[in-house]
Amino acid sequence: MFRRIIAAFVFLAALSVQAQVVINEIDADTPSTDVKEFIELKTATPFMLLDGYVLVFFNASSSGTTNVSYLAIDLDGLVTDGNGIILLGNPLVNPAASYTIAAGSIQNGPDGVAIYQGDATDFPINTVGTNTNLIDALVYSNSATTSATALMTAWGLTVSYNENANGQAANESIQRKNDGTYEVKTPTPRTNNDGSGIIYNGITTTISPSGVLTEGQAVAFTFTTDTPVTSALSFSFTLNNGSFNSSDYTGTLNVVIPTGMSSATVNVVLRNDGINDGDEEMEVAIGSVPSDYIILNNNTIVRVNDVNFTTLNFGTPASPTYGQVSNNKPTGYYDSLEGKSGAALKQALQDIIANPAVVRAHTYGDVINILKTADQNPLNNNQVWLIYTEQPRSKIDYQTGSSIIGKWNREHIYCQSRGNFGDLYNLPPDGINNWLASGPDDIGAGLSDAHHLRAVDGQENTSRNNRNYGVDYNGPLANPTSSWKGDVSRAVFYMAVRYNGLNVVDGNPNENIVGQIGDLATLLQWNHTDPSDDFEMNRNNYIYTWQMNRNPFIDMPALADYIWGTHAGEAWFAALSNPTFHQTQIVMHPNPAQDQITFSGSFSKAEVEIYNLAGARLLQTNLQLQEALPLSLPTGMYLVKLQVDGQSILQKLMIK
């Protein structure tokens, strides 16, 4: 009980400290193309750490009805200076900012900006502004005739400040006065608005080349002061961070800026050790400097990619290969399905993949390590392959903090909110040898079931949110892809069989209806047009080693049609229903068909024959990949035979 009282006291004390940060100055409308925008925060206590804060910018409109976020910046790790000030601004702001905001990011108004307790992940784009956990807020514009009434109401404000009050919006800023109100005058970035306090000479670090570095590169670190130094300035810096240490580079890390100068450069070479020990990050951290200097953009993290990576013998989902990865299912794994149909077929499948005597559930923390292998980029073992955006990202970019930008995390294909998985398995990793038995009613295991969890870009994960596939979510708007669509269909089908209470349905079911996800018709189509490839088979094999169950819709994609699709109610026989089409990854669509069919897959040319059920050949022709084959056949069932690379492939075709 005493510990709880102490914890509560610490929490309340933290709230009282956090309430000391305010918006001190904003310059949203600057000359030319807004390349000198900035916002300045101030704390009553100097050198205050801003962990636990997020700065959020909101859109308004001339009507005042809009109230949604467009930019969120985590303030974790930032510290105010001896005046209690910290500056966030564009690269051309002078004096330089401690945190860089891309030029043109801050809108001119009518808009608003607020400080909240929380993280950027709490404020994805288009989040509505509220007063929950609100610390400070400001509504502004560059016109006397515009306001932001929705924002003002949400934040309990009565005044909107006009940066153009003096007709000099491009040359003046909105600044906080000691009484808490604001005025418009000449900008005073990184200094007290009343001209008092310490005037610092800031030190900015520039790294060349910029961006991601690789082993073997030469790197120049340039340190620049706001104004020339009046006496020689000497300091040192470090690059050590985690596994990155002095063995990873050559060069000295001592800096001297001569009297009267404003910069100095130190050159370092990143060593190629010839060992594949993974991508790493170095942290550029300046040591102590005289009290009249302030270190800007310190503790910069820089990626150093290992050039000694290895590759796998199959393609990425964006450039898929087929048949390179063996199906490692145990002998007889699916034998109990033979001859079954309808509900009996679905139940027999669940009896295999949710058998509590066999199937194992692991922690949500374990999933991170599972995905680092299951979703490994075949072209570089130090990366994972991201679903939806279909791009690689370094394994060390897994999101551990609040920022999702440039990070990857875990995507639930069957959304958490729709599955209502709970947090029973939301535990740290404990390894492959620690597990719990799991049956069909163990809905909590869905939280950490790797068969429907994928590595995903953090921002795209937020964009997908809990939307239904096809009828709502179809991938990144800026870069639509399709090579992930079959993957999600087979993951959804797996979940709808593995767990009681989960269903895949037609249409766009409301996100608040637990146990439903859509759209079934779209997912059945995606299962055909994006066939299972080597990447999926490899992850199916690997996840099996942890969970002791497989995704049968990767092993035998046609099963979906026998449970939900065009063959629903028909008896399943693996030899006829799924064999060689799956092995060679050739897809015939649509099926059922009316007046034509098309073949997709891993071939360039094939001979096609169509037979009726009496064995009479009705058609024989040659086809190219994706070439439509016109049909004029009566309604009924037919057999389609393909000759591809010396193989004979047989598939049922329904004409409606």
Side-chain angles (χ1 to χ4, degrees), residues 113-135:
V113 59
I115 304 170
Y116 284 93
Q117 286 179 293
D119 299 314
T121 51
D122 301 325
F123 296 90
I125 293 174
N126 293 328
T127 300
V128 175
T130 71
N131 62 1
T132 302
N133 296 323
L134 180 67
I135 303 300

Side-chain angles (χ1 to χ4, degrees), residues 402-454:
S402 56
S403 177
I404 59 176
I405 298 174
K407 302 296 182 181
W408 67 274
N409 51 34
R410 297 160 290 187
E411 160 73 327
H412 289 85
I413 302 300
Y414 202 113
C415 320
Q416 291 192 65
S417 59
R418 294 177 179 274
N420 195 26
F421 303 127
D423 61 359
L424 177 65
Y425 289 92
N426 193 9
L427 299 168
D430 57 11
I432 193 171
N433 294 320
N434 293 286
W435 47 272
L436 293 175
S438 181
D441 294 318
D442 183 16
I443 193 66
L447 176 73
S448 54
D449 193 320
H451 282 303
H452 85 122
L453 282 152
R454 293 290 291 263

